[in-house]
Amino acid sequence: MTEQPTGHDAIDSFSNENRTFPPPAEFAAAARVSDGSLAAEADSDPEAFWARQARELIDWQVPFESVLSWDLPNARWFDGGRLNVAENCLDRHVRAGLGDRVAIHWEGEPGDTRTISYSDLLDEVSRFSNVLRSLGVGRGDRVNIYLPMIPEAAVAMLACARIGAVHSVVFGGFSSQSLIDRINDAEAKMLITADGGYRRGEVFPLKPAADEALGATPSIENVVVVRRGGNPVDMVEGRDHWYHDLMEGASVDCPPEPMESEDLLFLLYTSGTTGKPKGIMHTTAGYLTHVTYTHRYVFDLRPESDVYWCTADVGWITGHSYIVYGPLSNGCTQVMYEGVPNHPGNDRFWDIVERYGVTIFYTAPTAIRTFMKWGAEEPARHDLSSLRLLGTVGEPINPEAWMWYHEHIGGERCPIVDTWWQTETGGIMISPLPGSTTTKPGSATFPLPGVGMEVVDDEANRVEHGGGYLTLTRPWPGMLRGIWGDPERFRETYWSRFPGRYFAGDGARLDDDGYVWFLGRVDDVMNVSGHRISTTEVESALVSHPSVAEAAVVGASDATTGQAIFAYVIARGGAEVDVDALRAHVANEIGAIAKPKAIFVTPDLPKTRSGKIMRRLLRDVAEGRNLGDTTTLADASVVGELQRRASEASSED
Ligand code: 7RM
């Protein structure tokens, strides 16, 4: 059953997943896209295709004159046009008579709720826009946002967009040092934060962390503080202001600023594996077109009837594109939730789905694997029949996790869209269209209409079947426009490895039917006796064993084979893990070459705060090195525990 790798592939591949899921007939019959016509239109003239999306999906104050100017790596989309993003997300829906439609069903972790209509949101954003102006913020100024998952986060972002200021959101779980670096790099004028927010049943303080940062951020002139946690905070006279005090006297009248298509909309910092965080730049019209288009077609959105829920935090690009800008531009109703999935119980998400009648649910593979660990009884306690479509983003989804999601959350009736994209791409690039694409568990399937993608080998030759490097062959509207303050790093990081192409840093394989299978970050690819083996495939083989919920593998240097595979696994819902049986299982699933040399059972894995496994740290542990930079780690205690287990294991043999 094991396919032999051909040897000269840039990345070898052993996977043999071949289950297929055509769109359910009923779903396809009602879907926005149920055939290949959109793809055919886009293929015949990609620029004309994107121009049509921009004209149809966006309201323009002044129509654009040109579609694209491209001087690698610099793209300009929809030049000559004028528009305002907040106007597209709010005013146009209210003008169309949809002011009473719920924009956000917000739920706090303690169970408090707010129902915010499009007119409510427009009023709140307009007032806060006036507040920003009254504190001296204007076009082009940078504003830092450091908030929990409360509606004010969306309000603050949209208010910046309304007056032409540039927001830079820093995830509320980041430390004061991360905040310092990001504020100073952007030279932000204002910080918007909260006293604190709720997480795991407790208030986590934000203003005190912000205060620590503020001693080292000379550009900040004013701090606006939202009251959420009720925790005590120090307010500095003249600098710090309560949000509710400022809002009390603010006028609801604030005409949206006419912005140029290529005006900067926001910066979002990504840490990457090395070096200082990069301020990824996104501009106005192309970004808005891209997220509106993808949110509408990938999620088969019916704004008049769907209840959409994306579980990301607004501090990540997923929160920017698929909580704030895409959904609001499309005028849909969504759920926004403040807290963790296991408060007060492990079924909190399913309780929310049931109570709000969520129809579209978008989450990360790491969350799905956690749900697998908690067991299928949790969703089984709730009526999830409102769901009609599921999505995933953030990492490759293991076929077993896909099947669990399909069965236990989707009731075997909901299509799943596995959406591949990056902070840098702005919006979804590779994904099924749920009414027309036959899916395979674990494959992101095909590039969306309008997107140019090719897999290439080390010499930049196109790969038709097999493993290689994922590249994007032409500019797209939502693409990053640069790295703030560092054009050379922009060219070098994304546009230099393969001439004429954008290199995403991901390995990918094309199967015989042309489906894309992501193989993980190329920096993580392992080299065992000359075979280039993807971490994703070995992890998926491990997760396909009934005793395993989650797995991370790394290549650690080995005197005989170059690298040897080390695996870290988390048991599924109380199961016993038999390490020898598991090694044999991997050999049987994908081949002896991929059999881990050692497997460690662990209660937890080191992850970034957005849930991605940090394999670099596991490599450090496996090779007995001191740990490098751990500042982006969500829970630092995890690695200490792994080190303890590793040293115990090595003293055992
Ligand atoms: C949206 C987001 C980007 C990296 C990307 C990949 C990985 C994201 C998928 C995926 C396989 C997916 N932005 N990634 N989605 N890998 N299948 N559906 O996550 O900038 O934080 O990360 O995430 O490695 O390059 S991000």
Side-chain angles (χ1 to χ4, degrees):
M1 66 183 283
T2 302
E3 225 180 278
Q4 269 308 313
T6 47
H8 63 261
D9 276 14
I11 304 172
D12 300 321
S13 182
F14 306 86
S15 156
N16 53 7
E17 174 60 53
N18 50 22
R19 288 168 282 198
T20 55
F21 294 84
E26 213 184 314
F27 189 100
R32 283 193 179 276
V33 182
S34 54
D35 59 23
S37 52
L38 206 62
E41 177 199 343
D43 283 347
S44 74
D45 189 345
E47 282 181 41
F49 172 80
W50 284 118
R52 180 172 77 83
Q53 299 306 330
R55 276 185 208 107
E56 288 180 7
L57 299 177
I58 304 303
D59 276 16
W60 297 84
Q61 295 169 352
V62 176
F64 55 89
E65 285 157 12
S66 72
V67 180
L68 168 68
S69 16
W70 177 224
D71 178 14
L72 185 144
N74 301 308
R76 298 183 64 87
W77 284 89
F78 311 126
D79 260 335
R82 288 230 180 109
L83 71 163
N84 184 283
V85 167
E87 181 178 15
N88 273 277
C89 290
L90 303 169
D91 311 49
R92 66 162 162 167
H93 307 314
V94 175
R95 281 199 294 265
L98 304 174
D100 290 338
R101 181 180 288 172
V102 174
I104 300 174
H105 288 290
W106 179 80
E107 182 157 311
E109 197 189 65
D112 50 333
T113 61
R114 284 167 67 182
T115 308
I116 302 169
S117 70
Y118 274 91
S119 336
D120 297 337
L121 194 57
L122 173 59
D123 283 0
E124 181 106 356
V125 167
S126 300
R127 285 160 68 199
F128 195 57
S129 302
N130 283 322
V131 166
L132 291 178
R133 282 204 176 125
S134 73
L135 293 172
V137 176
R139 271 179 97 109
D141 289 337
R142 276 80 62 208
V143 172
N144 238 269
I145 298 176
Y146 186 54
L147 284 172
M149 276 292 284
I150 54 177
E152 286 79 2
V155 170
M157 292 162 74
L158 289 162
C160 288
R162 193 170 191 85
I163 65 168
V166 175
H167 59 70
S168 166
V169 182
V170 176
F171 173 54
F174 273 137
S175 64
S176 43
Q177 186 57 51
S178 313
L179 188 58
I180 291 173
D181 296 343
R182 289 158 173 75
I183 288 175
N184 288 343
D185 189 74
E187 296 175 281
K189 230 174 159 176
M190 174 185 278
L191 175 64
I192 302 167
T193 186
D195 50 359
Y198 285 87
R199 207 181 153 73
R200 276 186 248 286
E202 283 166 24
V203 172
F204 67 93
L206 274 172
K207 177 65 164 61
D211 286 339
E212 258 180 68
L214 287 162
T217 55
S219 58
I220 297 287
E221 294 167 4
N222 288 287
V223 180
V224 176
V225 186
V226 180
R227 183 175 280 155
R228 167 60 187 154
N231 49 311
V233 296
D234 297 328
M235 299 291 277
V236 173
E237 184 70 41
R239 185 196 69 186
D240 300 354
H241 320 267
W242 285 106
Y243 178 90
H244 56 264
D245 288 342
L246 295 168
M247 288 291 273
E248 218 176 63
S251 154
V252 294
D253 184 31
C254 180
E257 187 79 19
M259 303 303 291
E260 310 280 336
S261 290
E262 284 297 342
D263 278 338
L264 194 56
L265 177 64
F266 65 84
L267 297 176
L268 183 60
Y269 285 82
T270 74
S271 42
T273 44
T274 50
K276 70 168 186 142
K278 304 185 279 253
I280 302 299
M281 298 163 67
H282 283 290
T283 58
T284 300
Y287 173 80
L288 187 65
T289 300
H290 191 148
V291 299
T292 308
Y293 158 73
T294 49
H295 188 253
R296 177 169 295 234
Y297 289 102
V298 171
F299 296 105
D300 185 48
L301 189 72
R302 299 286 165 188
E304 60 289 353
S305 52
D306 275 319
V307 178
Y308 164 85
W309 182 22
C310 167
T311 69
D313 190 284
V314 287
W316 312 121
I317 189 67
T318 306
H320 284 58
S321 301
Y322 298 109
I323 293 178
V324 179
Y325 293 116
L328 295 177
S329 172
N330 278 318
C332 84
T333 296
Q334 69 177 312
V335 171
M336 180 177 183
Y337 170 60
E338 177 185 35
V340 296
N342 54 347
H343 183 85
N346 288 350
D347 62 341
R348 180 63 180 269
F349 276 15
W350 319 126
D351 177 47
I352 291 177
V353 168
E354 180 172 12
R355 276 186 293 111
Y356 293 96
V358 171
T359 58
I360 305 173
F361 179 71
Y362 191 31
T363 198
T366 181
I368 297 166
R369 293 185 302 252
T370 302
F371 302 141
M372 287 171 75
K373 189 170 69 181
W374 291 341
E377 322 74 82
E378 302 292 347
R381 279 211 289 276
H382 294 274
D383 176 3
L384 305 182
S385 60
S386 57
L387 289 171
R388 66 180 194 92
L389 178 65
L390 305 176
T392 78
V393 59
E395 283 185 295
I397 180 163
N398 321 104
E400 231 37 56
W402 195 103
M403 290 303 298
W404 192 93
Y405 198 30
H406 171 70
E407 197 176 320
H408 297 290
I409 308 303
E412 299 182 337
R413 117 196 127 255
C414 304
I416 297 178
V417 288
D418 172 359
T419 64
W420 179 91
W421 57 294
Q422 305 178 298
T423 303
E424 293 87 341
T425 69
I428 299 170
M429 302 294 280
I430 302 176
S431 168
L433 289 170
S436 69
T437 311
T438 291
T439 54
K440 299 187 185 184
S443 167
T445 73
F446 305 104
L448 290 178
V451 171
M453 176 218 85
E454 280 176 5
V455 176
V456 298
D457 66 16
D458 286 287
E459 278 77 51
N461 301 307
R462 184 168 178 184
V463 170
E464 307 267 351
H465 303 288
Y469 307 98
L470 197 285
T471 67
L472 300 169
T473 55
R474 58 176 121 91
W476 62 99
M479 71 183 252
L480 76 166
R481 300 299 197 267
I483 295 173
W484 180 253
D486 203 343
E488 205 30 60
R489 190 174 177 199
F490 172 50
R491 181 186 293 274
E492 172 61 30
T493 309
Y494 305 105
W495 302 94
S496 66
R497 169 94 186 255
F498 301 108
R501 298 162 182 272
Y502 173 91
F503 175 46
D506 284 341
R509 170 175 74 93
L510 294 178
D511 72 13
D512 293 342
D513 303 320
Y515 281 66
V516 183
W517 298 78
F518 281 95
L519 300 176
R521 302 291 296 168
V522 296
D523 299 341
D524 292 331
V525 167
M526 304 172 290
N527 194 327
V528 182
S529 304
H531 295 272
R532 311 251 305 143
I533 299 172
S534 116
T535 51
T536 303
E537 289 195 342
V538 181
E539 287 162 7
S540 291
L542 288 162
V543 175
S544 75
H545 192 275
S547 68
V548 177
E550 175 140 38
V553 308
V554 294
S557 46
D558 182 277
T560 25
T561 55
Q563 281 187 328
I565 300 178
F566 279 52
Y568 300 82
V569 301
I570 300 179
R572 208 202 272 212
E576 272 298 311
V577 177
D578 175 341
V579 163
D580 291 327
L582 202 51
R583 293 178 71 234
H585 174 75
V586 174
N588 188 48
E589 284 288 302
I590 58 177
I593 186 74
K595 189 158 84 175
K597 181 171 175 189
I599 296 180
F600 302 96
V601 183
T602 163
D604 233 322
L605 289 168
K607 289 189 186 155
T608 66
R609 287 160 212 258
S610 66
K612 296 186 211 285
I613 296 170
M614 289 179 77
R615 293 182 189 74
R616 176 177 61 76
L617 290 182
L618 292 172
R619 222 155 31 227
D620 290 344
V621 172
E623 296 179 344
R625 253 195 315 280
N626 282 336
L627 299 181
D629 183 9
T630 57
T631 51
T632 53
L633 197 62
D635 174 6
S637 68
V638 174
V639 198
E641 176 64 18
L642 285 169
Q643 278 177 316
R644 198 180 57 73
R645 284 171 193 239
S647 68
E648 275 172 13
S650 58
S651 59
E652 275 162 21
D653 51 46

